[in-house]
Amino acid sequence: MAPRSQLEIHTASLLRLVKEEASYHKELQQQTERIQRLEAANGFDDDDGNKEYTLKQERLALEETKKVLPTMKKKIDDAVAKLDSLVVEEGRKGPESNVEHITAAKEAIAKAKTAEREVS
């Protein structure tokens, strides 16, 4: 089996980053909902004094998740730029360029840009 091209590697990497960012956004939403539920549970059985500690831990987790998102955005932007340049480079090869890989790369770039618009 032939080794994977740089175009294939960077396409897969971009798709992985987009998927990872989506999971962070989902986690952010879930954490926010958990905090809201805990705060709303005024009648929460607090026999062991655990409510405040649990809320504190959930808020810390939420802040950590928020801190990751700008880094993810930068990684995705960098990956899109690199993949864009590889697509151009591959396209210059003319008839020997791999159209399937170029198409997959362009689809990955479009998916990343769509995901970015949905988040913004």
Side-chain angles (χ1 to χ4, degrees):
M1 185 166 122
R4 293 176 62 184
S5 69
Q6 287 297 307
L7 192 60
E8 287 178 287
I9 292 168
H10 285 279
T11 300
S13 176
L14 178 59
L15 290 173
R16 179 189 50 79
L17 286 170
V18 168
K19 187 175 179 180
E20 186 176 343
E21 184 187 39
S23 74
Y24 278 117
H25 282 284
K26 184 177 179 181
E27 182 178 331
L28 187 70
Q29 180 184 4
Q30 290 171 344
Q31 288 170 332
T32 303
E33 290 169 1
R34 278 195 304 267
I35 290 171
Q36 289 170 346
R37 277 195 308 271
L38 281 171
E39 289 173 338
N42 292 337
F44 182 69
D45 187 13
D46 197 24
D47 289 341
D48 58 359
N50 221 12
K51 180 179 178 181
E52 285 305 314
Y53 176 77
T54 303
L55 266 171
K56 181 181 176 184
Q57 292 301 88
E58 289 292 338
R59 287 182 182 130
L60 283 172
L62 180 70
E63 290 306 312
E64 289 297 317
T65 302
K66 285 180 180 179
K67 287 179 185 177
V68 171
L69 292 173
T71 306
M72 288 302 302
K73 182 178 176 359
K74 179 164 178 18
K75 285 181 179 182
I76 290 172
D77 289 345
D78 292 347
V80 166
K82 177 66 177 174
L83 193 54
D84 247 343
S85 68
L86 286 172
V87 166
V88 169
E89 188 179 307
E90 185 71 21
R92 289 187 188 143
K93 291 181 180 178
E96 65 184 56
S97 63
N98 191 325
V99 178
E100 290 176 19
H101 293 164
I102 292 174
T103 303
K106 287 180 179 179
E107 288 172 0
I109 291 169
K111 187 173 184 177
K113 289 181 179 180
T114 300
E116 184 178 314
R117 282 193 302 270
E118 289 174 358
V119 170
S120 299

